[in-house]
Amino acid sequence: MALRFFNTYSRELEEFEPRDPAARRIGIYTCGPTVYSRAHIGNFRAYIFEDLLQRHLELRGYKVHRVMNITDVDDKTIRGAREAKVPLAKFTAQFKEAFFEDVEILRIKRANEFPAATDHRYIDRMIQMIAMLISRGLAYQADDKSVYFRINEFPNYGKLAHFDLAQLQSTGRVKHDEYDKEHIGDFALWKAWDEEDGDVKWDSPWGPGRPGWHIECSAMATRLLGNQIDIHCGGVDNIFPHHEAEIAQSEGVTGKKFVRYWLHCAHLLVDGQKMAKSLGNFYSVPDILAKGYTGRELRYALMRVHYRVPLNFTWEGMNEARESLGRIDEWLERLQKMVGTPRRGVRSAQRADPAIQFEEALDDDLNISAALGFLFESIRETNRAMDENKLDAASASAWLDWWKRINTVLDLETEIEVVVPAEVAELAEERENARREKNWKRSDQLRDRISAFGWEVRDTKDGPKLTRHGAASSG
RNA sequence: GGCGGGGUAGCCAAGUGGUAAGGUCGCGGUCUGCAAAACCGCUAUUCGCGGGUUCGAUUCCCGCCCCCGCCUCCA
């Protein structure tokens, strides 16, 4: 099956054809965080979706160059810095750092570049683009000294969101105090400095000020990825006005179609509601870790639902994620053991037939739910074969190779070597002795003591096996 | 009001014009000293509601209801 994605622009599933099919190199631009506070798990749902996208494209042989911007200057960052009484750069640095910590915890592949809005290279580029837009009549400086994009001069404005410009005038939420603008929908390219901005300002042909939010992405995207990019992603809430504005600015400057495929991810809900601090359902990655869950468990929980479907985050869902991952872990361990110590008496070697359906499901607009369905079906089938002693080492090895391949996309394997504390190991040994003497009472007491250390002992054919209990498990 | 996304078992969630993947939870069984893990079985005559098309619709069409999002700087 050909690779296809749902393009927000056409609202249709489209076969993916990169700009340069021969080179198999593709450029992806993803809207990153605004570093005014710690990012929440809803933000990370989007980043995990983008991670899945990148990894699957790479599995399919594409060489992906991905850019994710960091917005480190806007109203909120300026306000935050002012309230904290620290320079803007210092204020945002802590959240940049936190962002990268969380990215690591969630095993999100780092973008090739993380341009920051305050980097002078991009400020220069933004100024250059704004000047060009003015010279083409697509932008103007208003009486308030700010520069605005003239949406009436860009006929395609509204095409991505499927908005009718006339409609914009009738919404109640538009601020009517912005009388300086020609059209209520005109958006700021350059915001003139005012007192509240303090020392946050850059010189420009239109006086001191700072860039508008939208122009930053156009500048970075076109500078780092060229005039046309293959895929541009973000959350659905970015469709309007942000991405609409990006199209207007970029195409207004380059005259070329800016983005071939627009992919947008649905929101994360918490307990069926939008995340909000006032509702007490607002979580960051450390909040989840504090509840005893691991990064990979959260990764799984955020990844397992198709990106265009709203995902409802619940603690029950986190437990499901943990159990499902445990199932994968057990399966892998069993296969590894089979490869390591081939048993005699294995009869007909069941031909390992690692399912291509997994990858084909992902080809279909990243249908991760279907892909995981195939994974778990495969797990049950191979487990059954192993139970019946019908899987040989070669087949087990083939399944492991398959896992290794799909895990380049999932990245869900436990990574931390489990180290059993000496005291737990001792107790386990004592318990084995008791069991050999058929002293079941003592054996069960020892199991309880082991349990008190947070470990669980299981008696297998190959002897006792120690695993960490639920929340405390590593990796 | 406009534009989107969604409504499938207790919960999460695929999917198809021909009679419902998978995960999780629960129950029963095999295995086990007992457990655990694994496996087997059971758990939606039914896919928000009402019409229509069809031999047949959860899937297509029409109408309606509910939830969520966007409508100027929230992923």
Side-chain angles (χ1 to χ4, degrees), chain A residues 343-412:
Chain A
R343 281 203 237 126
R344 290 181 309 168
V346 175
R347 284 172 293 147
S348 63
Q350 168 134 335
R351 193 173 61 87
D353 186 19
I356 56 165
Q357 289 104 307
F358 183 92
E359 292 166 33
E360 290 190 337
L362 291 180
D363 283 347
D364 185 17
D365 197 31
L366 299 178
N367 190 342
I368 186 71
S369 304
L372 290 171
F374 289 122
L375 169 62
F376 284 106
E377 268 178 51
S378 303
I379 288 177
R380 194 186 39 205
E381 280 162 23
T382 39
N383 273 333
R384 184 165 51 215
M386 284 188 276
D387 278 358
E388 293 169 356
N389 209 19
K390 282 182 184 166
L391 195 89
D392 63 13
S395 306
S397 180
W399 279 107
L400 284 171
D401 287 344
W402 176 68
W403 165 257
K404 210 169 159 188
R405 179 172 164 87
I406 66 170
N407 193 48
T408 61
V409 176
L410 297 173
D411 202 351
L412 287 173

Side-chain angles (χ1 to χ4, degrees), chain A residues 189-248:
Chain A
L189 294 167
W190 187 259
K191 301 184 105 168
W193 180 87
D194 73 34
E195 280 177 22
E196 303 224 313
D197 294 342
D199 59 358
V200 179
K201 63 181 173 198
W202 287 266
D203 286 327
S204 82
W206 316 285
R210 60 186 165 95
W213 177 43
H214 312 305
I215 192 70
E216 135 188 5
C217 286
S218 290
M220 293 167 174
T222 54
R223 180 171 171 134
L224 295 168
L225 294 168
N227 289 344
Q228 187 176 64
I229 60 188
D230 292 294
I231 301 175
H232 194 314
C233 316
V236 285
D237 51 339
N238 273 160
I239 295 171
F240 191 89
H242 186 54
H243 290 160
E244 200 72 67
E246 276 187 55
I247 293 173

Side-chain angles (χ1 to χ4, degrees), chain A residues 71-264:
Chain A
T71 300
D72 56 359
V73 56
D74 78 324
D75 292 351
K76 280 179 287 199
T77 46
I78 290 171
R79 196 193 320 133
R82 197 175 59 229
E83 285 169 3
K85 295 187 168 56
V86 293
L88 179 67
K90 195 178 171 198
F91 178 75
T92 57
Q94 59 187 316
F95 299 115
K96 282 183 194 175
E97 201 178 313
F99 171 71
F100 287 114
E101 278 170 20
D102 294 346
V103 160
E104 182 129 335
I105 287 165
L106 292 175
R107 307 180 179 190
I108 293 168
K109 207 164 181 169
R110 288 174 72 108
N112 300 80
E113 294 172 88
F114 289 97
T118 54
D119 186 319
H120 66 89
R121 284 175 297 175
Y122 306 116
I123 298 273
D124 290 350
R125 168 88 181 147
M126 290 183 237
I127 289 172
Q128 192 188 2
M129 288 179 86
I130 294 167
M132 202 172 289
L133 290 170
I134 291 175
S135 73
R136 290 182 181 171
L138 287 166
Y140 59 93
Q141 184 167 30
D143 292 342
D144 66 357
K145 300 282 188 245
S146 291
V147 179
Y148 295 95
F149 190 94
R150 186 176 274 135
I151 61 169
N152 279 335
E153 289 299 314
F154 191 81
N156 282 340
Y157 192 79
K159 284 271 172 66
L160 177 68
H162 294 209
F163 278 176
D164 179 0
L165 290 195
Q167 215 69 51
L168 292 180
Q169 301 177 41
S170 64
T171 73
R173 283 181 56 177
V174 173
K175 288 180 212 136
H176 290 286
D177 55 331
E178 296 190 39
Y179 48 81
D180 292 320
K181 298 193 287 186
E182 291 176 4
H183 183 113
I184 202 78
D186 288 353
F187 55 89
L189 294 167
W190 187 259
K191 301 184 105 168
W193 180 87
D194 73 34
E195 280 177 22
E196 303 224 313
D197 294 342
D199 59 358
V200 179
K201 63 181 173 198
W202 287 266
D203 286 327
S204 82
W206 316 285
R210 60 186 165 95
W213 177 43
H214 312 305
I215 192 70
E216 135 188 5
C217 286
S218 290
M220 293 167 174
T222 54
R223 180 171 171 134
L224 295 168
L225 294 168
N227 289 344
Q228 187 176 64
I229 60 188
D230 292 294
I231 301 175
H232 194 314
C233 316
V236 285
D237 51 339
N238 273 160
I239 295 171
F240 191 89
H242 186 54
H243 290 160
E244 200 72 67
E246 276 187 55
I247 293 173
Q249 295 159 342
S250 305
E251 297 188 2
V253 167
T254 68
K256 300 230 167 57
K257 190 172 172 65
F258 178 46
V259 168
R260 292 174 68 84
Y261 300 90
W262 284 99
L263 271 55
H264 291 97

Side-chain angles (χ1 to χ4, degrees), chain A residues 380-450:
Chain A
R380 194 186 39 205
E381 280 162 23
T382 39
N383 273 333
R384 184 165 51 215
M386 284 188 276
D387 278 358
E388 293 169 356
N389 209 19
K390 282 182 184 166
L391 195 89
D392 63 13
S395 306
S397 180
W399 279 107
L400 284 171
D401 287 344
W402 176 68
W403 165 257
K404 210 169 159 188
R405 179 172 164 87
I406 66 170
N407 193 48
T408 61
V409 176
L410 297 173
D411 202 351
L412 287 173
E413 200 166 319
T414 338
E415 61 186 4
I416 296 165
E417 192 81 5
V418 179
V419 181
V420 181
E423 56 224 311
V424 172
E426 261 171 51
L427 289 172
E429 207 181 312
E430 272 184 57
R431 181 169 170 278
E432 269 308 281
N433 292 333
R435 291 186 71 235
R436 247 174 253 133
E437 292 160 13
K438 300 209 187 298
N439 186 346
W440 308 126
K441 198 177 168 196
R442 178 160 168 74
S443 158
D444 288 347
Q445 280 170 350
L446 284 161
R447 180 158 58 197
D448 288 344
R449 285 181 62 192
I450 291 166

